[in-house]
């Protein structure tokens, strides 16, 4: 018998960066992952992780790559594997599950290069394990919000993959945000500057940003931007949404560059993509919402009525870079 689930990735426009001190105790196998600021994201249903779980006689829980057509091959690092299996052990205890299991998982996009594969992986693991626990151990029903909040223990950003198209995570609340339909069916493109693995993991980034002098005031800045962004989207003021999102990802990357020791993810190609977006905005007074996660890849969001700009950007960039897009 196999229990399976798919979960989407998400891209934050207001970034979760930094955890409360109580969340950072060394040696905790499943940290609480309490964010120091609210975050707000767009769910990406075309970028998914699939998790399949079956019973195992091996006397331990194991993980293997799920080989499937259109799925990317990746090597899970030892740290990544430990984090994944520790979280699974935590879920087993929470759901009162007995026995050992074999977990297979795979993504239809490259992992560890700034496309938030941890969000979709931990959300899919939570959902597949919950299905198993419901069927095999008859546990009570959990709400989506309860599942999202438990998934946060595996990876903070995964809690936002439970809701869409827009999701807000603020302290211990995770919920869907309703916005006008034109803003709820966006086209997404991620320009893969590089598929090499990240040098500094997001877990390490969350710790290190607190050493930046710019970290003071970060929560206030994100709250102001969150308010401005939600209002801009609700009123369909796309240029304001672009400006707020642009300022926000630079804020997060400025924290990285001013941490001790400093670190960063930009590559020359990231600047090339950003420059194209900036030129579009200044020449046409229109363009995509732009953002970057903890990686060198640039994410672009377009409204459906911007298909022409979308095709122009894709055409131009696909000559130099690999692109993954929702259409
Ligand atoms: O979920 P984590 O711990 O991998 O955090 C990732 C946070 C960012 O992707 C960098 C930003 C965000 O809000 O998704």
């Amino acid at each position: 018998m196999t229990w399976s689930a798919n979960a989407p990735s998400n891209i934050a426009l207001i970034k979760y960066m930094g955890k409360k001190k109580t969340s950072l105790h060394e040696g905790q196998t499943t940290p609480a992952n309490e964010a120091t600021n609210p975050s707000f994201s767009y769910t990406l249903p075309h970028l998914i992780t699939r998790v399949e779980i079956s019973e195992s006689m091996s006397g331990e829980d194991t993980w293997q790559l799920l080989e499937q057509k259109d799925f990317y091959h990746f090597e899970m690092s030892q740290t990544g594997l430990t984090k994944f299996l520790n979280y699974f052990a935590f879920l087993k205890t929470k759901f009162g599950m007995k026995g050992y299991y074999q977990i297979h998982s795979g993504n239809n996009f490259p992992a560890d290069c700034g496309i938030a594969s941890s969000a979709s992986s931990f959300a899919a693991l939570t959902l597949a394990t919950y299905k198993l626990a419901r069927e095999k151990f008859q546990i009570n029903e959990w709400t989506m919000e309860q599942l999202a909040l438990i998934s946060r223990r595996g990876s903070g950003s995964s809690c936002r993959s439970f809701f869409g198209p827009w999701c807000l995570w603020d302290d211990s609340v995770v919920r869907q945000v309703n916005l006008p339909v034109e803003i709820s069916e966006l086209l997404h493109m991620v320009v893969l500057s590089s598929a090499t693995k990240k040098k500094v993991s997001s877990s390490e980034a969350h710790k290190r940003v607190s050493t930046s002098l710019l970290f003071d005031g970060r929560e206030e800045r994100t709250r102001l931007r969150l308010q401005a962004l939600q209002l801009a989207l609700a009123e369909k003021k796309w240029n304001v949404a672009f400006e707020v999102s642009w300022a926000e990802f630079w804020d997060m990357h400025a924290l990285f560059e001013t941490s001790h020791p400093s670190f960063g993810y930009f590559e020359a190609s990231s600047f090339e993509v950003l420059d194209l977006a900036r030129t579009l905005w200044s020449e046409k007074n229109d363009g995509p919402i732009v953002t970057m996660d903890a990686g060198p890849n640039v994410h672009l969001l377009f409204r459906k009525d911007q298909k022409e700009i979308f095709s122009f950007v894709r055409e131009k960039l696909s000559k130099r870079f690999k692109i993954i897009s929702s259409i």
Side-chain angles (χ1 to χ4, degrees):
M1 178 99 189
T2 300
W3 293 269
S4 60
N6 290 352
S9 185
N10 69 74
I11 181 70
L13 297 185
I14 304 295
K15 309 285 181 185
Y16 152 50
M17 186 41 61
K19 299 181 192 183
K20 290 185 184 160
K21 289 256 167 359
T22 46
S23 283
L24 286 172
H25 290 317
E26 294 299 335
Q28 268 189 169
T29 50
T30 47
N33 288 339
E34 291 160 336
T36 42
N37 66 270
S39 56
F40 179 67
S41 58
Y42 184 72
T43 305
L44 304 171
H46 58 292
L47 301 181
I48 60 136
T49 295
R50 178 171 180 79
V51 166
E52 295 184 357
I53 309 177
S54 44
E55 285 172 278
S56 161
M57 294 298 149
S58 69
E60 59 179 350
D61 298 321
T62 55
W63 174 85
Q64 269 179 304
L65 183 70
L66 178 64
E67 311 267 1
Q68 200 169 293
K69 195 175 158 283
D70 300 333
F71 274 26
Y72 277 77
H73 182 85
F74 72 94
E75 311 269 331
M76 180 104 87
S77 67
Q78 195 48 49
T79 327
L81 183 64
T82 307
K83 194 173 158 192
F84 202 67
L85 291 178
N86 277 344
Y87 173 64
F88 182 63
F90 170 79
L91 280 181
K92 278 168 64 180
T93 311
K94 274 275 165 204
F95 293 149
M97 287 162 51
K98 305 234 170 341
Y100 294 99
Y101 300 88
Q102 187 176 46
I103 306 167
H104 281 91
S105 75
N107 304 323
N108 68 351
F109 60 94
D112 281 345
C113 59
I115 317 186
S117 60
S118 73
S120 50
S121 325
F122 282 90
L125 179 60
T126 305
L127 286 168
T129 311
Y130 171 66
K131 270 191 192 170
L132 188 167
R134 281 280 286 162
E135 281 179 30
K136 194 169 154 61
F137 298 98
Q138 283 89 45
I139 65 159
N140 289 337
E141 203 171 332
W142 284 42
T143 64
M144 268 301 170
E145 190 178 22
Q146 283 174 316
L147 289 170
L149 285 172
I150 195 89
S151 200
R152 182 184 77 168
R153 305 289 299 258
S155 148
S157 57
S158 76
C159 72
R160 297 189 313 245
S161 284
F162 286 75
F163 298 97
W166 293 98
C167 181
L168 171 70
W169 168 25
D170 191 359
D171 207 357
S172 52
V173 173
V174 189
R175 65 172 173 85
Q176 184 179 327
V177 174
N178 295 320
L179 286 167
V181 65
E182 299 90 323
I183 306 291
S184 302
E185 295 172 354
L186 301 179
L187 308 175
H188 170 257
M189 186 189 300
V190 55
V191 187
L192 300 183
S193 304
S194 156
T196 52
K197 284 204 169 190
K198 291 195 256 190
K199 289 184 190 77
V200 174
S201 68
S202 52
S203 309
E204 177 60 23
H206 284 295
K207 286 185 201 163
R208 244 190 257 178
V209 288
S210 64
T211 63
S212 164
L213 286 178
L214 302 180
F215 196 63
D216 263 359
R218 167 79 184 147
E219 187 193 345
E220 291 74 10
R221 293 197 300 279
T222 54
R223 288 202 179 275
L224 286 173
R225 285 196 194 112
L226 176 64
Q227 220 178 359
L229 180 61
Q230 283 190 292
L231 188 66
L233 292 171
E235 293 180 347
K236 298 184 233 169
K237 290 186 178 154
W238 190 251
N239 60 332
V240 178
F242 158 73
E243 289 294 351
V244 176
S245 308
W246 182 272
E248 170 61 11
F249 85 77
W250 278 102
D251 188 320
M252 180 175 79
H253 284 267
L255 290 177
F256 300 155
E257 296 291 352
T258 53
S259 291
H260 304 286
S262 65
F263 60 104
Y265 300 98
F266 279 79
E267 291 181 2
S269 45
S270 319
F271 289 107
E272 230 180 283
V273 182
L274 295 180
D275 194 50
L276 174 68
R278 197 206 292 272
T279 308
L280 271 176
W281 272 102
S282 58
E283 284 178 2
K284 295 186 193 296
N285 198 25
D286 194 12
I289 287 181
V290 182
T291 194
M292 288 174 73
D293 254 354
N297 304 314
V298 181
H299 292 254
L300 306 171
L301 290 170
F302 303 77
R303 299 182 317 270
K304 271 189 164 168
D305 63 291
Q306 288 180 306
K307 270 205 183 108
E308 215 173 292
I309 309 184
F310 179 93
S311 303
F312 168 79
V313 171
R314 188 166 57 182
E315 166 80 22
K316 200 159 167 82
L317 294 174
S318 60
K319 293 194 182 101
R320 310 245 304 114
F321 309 109
K322 187 172 165 43
I323 286 177
I324 298 180
S325 66
S326 55
I327 52 167

